[in-house]
Amino acid sequence: IVTRRIAYGSYLKRHTYEPKGKRFARPHVEFFFKDDAAHDPLMLWVPALGRYALYKASVPIENEGSKLGELSPSENPLLPQHEGDIDKLIELATECFVIIEEAFARTGVTLVDLKIECGRDADGIFRIGDVVDNESGRLWIGGDENHALDKDYFRKIAKAGRPLTPAERAKIAADYAIVVNLSSLFLS
């Protein structure tokens, strides 16, 4: 589940008409199906069918060929099974986002978006099974994307297809240390 406060990343690839950096008054929640081979497609609930439609996460849904298929919740018990489950997960993801967003805001860092993974416990209650770190969301010091603490810095280097320099490794390690230190303040 990805919750966004600011339009950025794959959201902009799917919503090309939206301006980069648009701030959502209420966090925007999206569901993705965990499938590395399919690049974690976007999942949209289709009430009339009682199924999920899967779409490429990196292109607008309207594009021909963007639909990858469908998933039936009855065939996959790990999926939210109905609209009530989806509503509960949206509420859980939004509440989680707002709490973490407010905690980071107190340190001068903007939480742009947050990815969490959820599941059901033995009693059937939805639980979050994730961590707060540089890989779970975009974090910008002072709200400035040029002062990011997240994994996008590493992604840009990886896309260039070259090994990390010692200075780049040191920056990544320092960014992780900053987030560890900031998140440790959440408990005090």
Side-chain angles (χ1 to χ4, degrees), residues 113-124:
D113 53 37
L114 179 70
K115 174 198 64 73
I116 59 172
E117 296 185 15
C118 297
R120 294 181 193 271
D121 65 14
D123 297 321

Side-chain angles (χ1 to χ4, degrees), residues 75-130:
E75 296 166 9
N76 190 333
L78 298 177
L79 293 175
Q81 296 295 301
H82 47 73
E83 285 185 69
D85 281 354
I86 294 167
D87 292 343
K88 286 178 189 172
L89 285 169
I90 289 172
E91 183 180 331
L92 179 66
T94 301
E95 184 178 343
C96 175
F97 182 89
V98 168
I99 289 168
I100 295 171
E101 176 186 42
E102 289 173 359
F104 271 118
R106 289 194 302 271
T107 70
V109 173
T110 299
L111 179 62
V112 175
D113 53 37
L114 179 70
K115 174 198 64 73
I116 59 172
E117 296 185 15
C118 297
R120 294 181 193 271
D121 65 14
D123 297 321
I125 298 170
F126 286 114
R127 303 285 184 194
I128 298 170
D130 224 316

Side-chain angles (χ1 to χ4, degrees), residues 82-185:
H82 47 73
E83 285 185 69
D85 281 354
I86 294 167
D87 292 343
K88 286 178 189 172
L89 285 169
I90 289 172
E91 183 180 331
L92 179 66
T94 301
E95 184 178 343
C96 175
F97 182 89
V98 168
I99 289 168
I100 295 171
E101 176 186 42
E102 289 173 359
F104 271 118
R106 289 194 302 271
T107 70
V109 173
T110 299
L111 179 62
V112 175
D113 53 37
L114 179 70
K115 174 198 64 73
I116 59 172
E117 296 185 15
C118 297
R120 294 181 193 271
D121 65 14
D123 297 321
I125 298 170
F126 286 114
R127 303 285 184 194
I128 298 170
D130 224 316
V131 298
V132 175
D133 65 10
N134 306 59
E135 295 185 36
S136 57
R138 286 186 176 85
L139 301 165
W140 296 345
I141 298 172
D144 183 352
E145 72 178 282
N146 295 311
H147 293 106
L149 295 170
D150 52 64
K151 67 181 179 181
D152 275 351
Y153 177 76
F154 174 76
R155 280 181 177 158
K156 289 173 187 170
I157 296 166
K159 282 183 182 178
R162 62 174 179 76
L164 293 168
T165 66
E168 291 165 338
R169 285 182 194 278
K171 180 192 178 336
I172 291 168
D175 287 351
Y176 273 75
I178 289 169
V179 173
V180 166
N181 290 332
L182 292 176
S183 60
S184 69
L185 299 173

Side-chain angles (χ1 to χ4, degrees), residues 55-56 59-68:
Y55 295 91
K56 292 179 184 176
V59 298
I61 293 169
E62 306 81 38
N63 284 16
E64 188 172 326
S66 67
K67 188 170 181 184
L68 298 173

